[in-house]
Amino acid sequence: MDQIVIRGGQRLKGRIPISGAKNAALTLLPCALLTDEPLTLRNLPRLADVDGFGHLLNQLGCSTTIEGSRPEDFGRVMTARTTTLTSTVAPYDIVRKMRASILVLGPLLARAGEATVSLPGGCAIGNRPIDLHLKALEALGAEIELASGYVKASAPGGRLSGGKFTFPVVSVGATENAVMAAVLANGSSILENAAREPEIVDLCNCLVAMGAQIDGIGTETLTIEGVDRLHGATYRVMADRIEAGSYACAAVITQGDVELVGAKASEMEATLAALREAGATVEETKAGIRVAMDGRAEPVTLSTAPYPGFATDMQAQFMAMATLGKGASLFTETIFENRYMHVPELARMGCDIDVRGRSAVVRGVDSLVGAPVMATDLRASMSLIIAGLAAEGTTEVNRVYHLDRGYERLEEKLQAVGADIERISAG
Ligand code: EPU
């Protein structure tokens, strides 16, 4: 397996291009199942999860073509067309490797009136049930059965009726599935306490470009008037606010100065506020956002929350940054029950972190020491990269496939701003 090797201590300085957002791409791709016309997505990141989703679409009868595959291109253009669905089944083998596969459930149900999707099971960051996806779809008129590890959903009469659902807990994925199901329903739907992450706004804007009628975009109440059919569209995937935030943490821990080209400040206010709390200079530029740091980070107190709160997907990276801070930082993880898996690995590099249930106290130390480490999930892997960039000596990050799921050409982007980082291929 590949490894990333970092010799720490270099100040990051320069421009980092921010890719299209993974979590937006993974909900925009299944929109191609909602119409027989082509959906063209621009600025699609080159990531293992995006490729995996493309393969799943192919299995369902959607043809995909990709342009801009030259190695020097950031952002590809994919045209996906589902002239006819040839299958409505998302099998276990695919769903277990990529949880986001569950996002074909709503579109298949909307287009074909039926869908059979494997239950994804647990994952490294927690139990992650899909009960809210199913309850929301039931409220829109679906009948749901669970058998042999599969969800079998159908719409009586072949078409969902639409309906009203209030999410008891904010869920990004369940909101996405419900929106994609409601747009082709035979009536109107109201989704209350819906997630309003920028990726959901991106999804709604793409669906509107395809002819959907959605009101309240960007708020917690979405009102959707079902239409008889959607048409094709060309849509640009938003910039990855989590990738941008991750490189901002890397800039702070190395006391560097970077411009995150393409990042949008309005979509990452909580992250920028946390960077300022840590003492960083954060300013909007013509091309994106500049983040610069002089000296060690101030301690931060951060609690994860649904958007517009501080993102759970930024928790591990800020924690890595705080390990070399001036004092004690306090983190509280409210979204996922098991999202501190990076802590024992960071401890191997000399960090002082005390986890008590959902909270963690990070006491800043004077230096970190490179070590071989491995990670269990995407953001945890990134926290190890961030720590490695500032550690003395060499850090070897193993299980690089986690990073390849969500960070487009990580080592190349970091090398370009002065990091001493390389990928060692397993051959
Ligand atoms: N939840 C339920 N029942 C459900 C769905 C969710 O109890 O049916 C709970 C979850 O267990 C969790 C909370 O609700 O405690 C929020 O989960 P959510 O559904 O919002 O998460 P998700 O849709 O599965 C997406 C991102 C995650 C990100 C979360 C939270 C994608 C593909 N994934 O997951 O991204 O952490 O929202 O913002 O969009 C990552 O990129 O590293 C990543 C894990």
Side-chain angles (χ1 to χ4, degrees):
M1 263 185 276
D2 289 6
Q3 227 182 22
I4 287 186
V5 177
I6 307 168
R7 282 162 290 271
Q10 305 298 321
R11 231 182 128 233
L12 301 190
K13 192 161 179 9
R15 305 178 91 214
I16 304 180
I18 300 305
S19 294
K22 170 187 80 98
N23 288 348
L26 294 179
T27 188
L28 293 170
L29 286 164
C31 293
L33 299 172
L34 289 166
T35 172
D36 57 2
E37 294 184 14
L39 174 65
T40 298
L41 295 175
R42 294 167 51 224
N43 199 33
L44 204 61
R46 185 188 296 264
L47 297 171
D49 268 11
V50 169
D51 292 343
F53 214 108
H55 292 141
L56 172 58
L57 291 179
N58 295 152
Q59 290 217 355
L60 303 173
C62 174
S63 66
T64 50
T65 51
I66 287 186
E67 293 161 49
S69 309
R70 292 178 310 168
E72 64 272 31
D73 288 335
F74 282 106
R76 292 182 294 178
V77 180
M78 181 192 276
T79 298
R81 179 167 199 174
T82 318
T83 309
T84 34
L85 282 172
T86 54
S87 164
T88 54
V89 180
Y92 175 63
D93 227 33
I94 296 186
V95 183
R96 98 186 141 82
K97 288 193 211 126
M98 191 180 43
R99 285 190 60 83
S101 314
I102 188 73
L103 294 175
V104 299
L105 182 57
L108 287 176
L109 195 52
R111 171 97 178 261
E114 58 168 45
T116 304
V117 176
S118 169
L119 288 164
C123 78
I125 62 177
N127 180 23
R128 298 183 84 182
I130 58 156
D131 55 321
L132 300 176
H133 298 240
L134 306 185
K135 283 185 184 137
L137 294 174
E138 271 176 341
L140 300 179
E143 286 177 358
I144 307 238
E145 269 174 63
L146 295 182
S148 313
Y150 277 79
V151 177
K152 208 168 164 16
S154 58
R159 190 166 175 195
L160 292 171
S161 55
K164 184 172 173 182
F165 187 69
T166 304
F167 290 93
V169 171
V170 177
S171 162
V172 172
T175 301
E176 291 167 346
N177 249 332
V179 169
M180 290 187 282
V183 286
L184 285 180
N186 191 19
S188 54
S189 301
I190 300 178
L191 303 173
E192 288 181 336
N193 199 26
R196 47 194 172 122
E197 268 64 6
E199 292 75 13
I200 305 246
V201 173
D202 221 31
L203 166 67
C204 291
N205 287 339
C206 176
L207 288 168
V208 167
M210 295 169 72
Q213 292 186 17
I214 309 176
D215 270 350
I217 296 175
T219 74
E220 60 183 33
T221 305
L222 295 170
T223 305
I224 300 161
E225 200 58 54
V227 294
D228 290 339
R229 61 184 304 276
L230 294 177
H231 51 73
T234 295
Y235 191 79
R236 184 182 164 84
V237 181
M238 65 178 276
D240 197 318
R241 63 193 172 104
I242 307 299
E243 186 198 26
S246 303
Y247 290 128
C249 290
V252 171
I253 201 171
T254 62
Q255 303 186 18
D257 188 344
V258 301
E259 188 179 18
L260 307 163
V261 177
K264 239 172 134 183
S266 59
E267 290 165 349
M268 44 190 293
E269 292 293 352
T271 296
L272 301 184
L275 290 165
R276 289 193 177 106
E277 187 182 337
T281 300
V282 177
E283 47 190 38
E284 269 188 80
T285 62
K286 260 199 188 134
I289 304 170
R290 174 178 167 239
V291 177
M293 187 70 185
D294 195 7
R296 286 170 68 175
E298 299 292 336
V300 289
T301 299
L302 296 170
S303 180
T304 62
Y307 190 84
F310 180 73
T312 173
D313 287 346
M314 285 307 309
Q315 178 257 108
Q317 302 89 313
F318 269 84
M319 192 177 279
M321 190 186 97
T323 61
L324 282 177
K326 281 181 193 160
S329 292
L330 177 64
F331 290 81
T332 307
E333 173 57 59
T334 72
I335 308 289
F336 292 109
E337 72 271 22
N338 195 23
R339 215 172 189 183
Y340 287 136
M341 301 287 275
H342 43 286
V343 170
E345 297 300 308
L346 287 171
R348 304 186 64 241
M349 300 173 73
C351 301
D352 179 351
I353 307 177
D354 195 5
V355 176
R356 297 259 165 92
R358 290 200 165 220
S359 294
V361 177
V362 183
R363 289 181 195 82
V365 293
D366 290 339
S367 59
L368 300 178
V369 186
V373 287
M374 68 172 197
T376 45
D377 75 82
L378 173 60
R379 309 303 169 189
S381 309
M382 191 61 195
S383 77
L384 302 175
I385 298 278
I386 291 168
L389 288 169
E392 288 166 8
T394 304
T395 297
E396 286 166 18
V397 180
N398 295 293
R399 300 199 176 168
V400 169
Y401 56 85
H402 287 298
L403 288 163
D404 293 337
R405 293 184 48 206
Y407 289 91
E408 184 175 14
R409 293 148 84 185
L410 168 98
E411 61 280 16
E412 209 180 303
K413 291 188 185 186
L414 285 170
Q415 276 161 7
V417 290
D420 185 345
I421 181 169
E422 64 180 325
R423 178 185 292 249
I424 312 279
S425 291

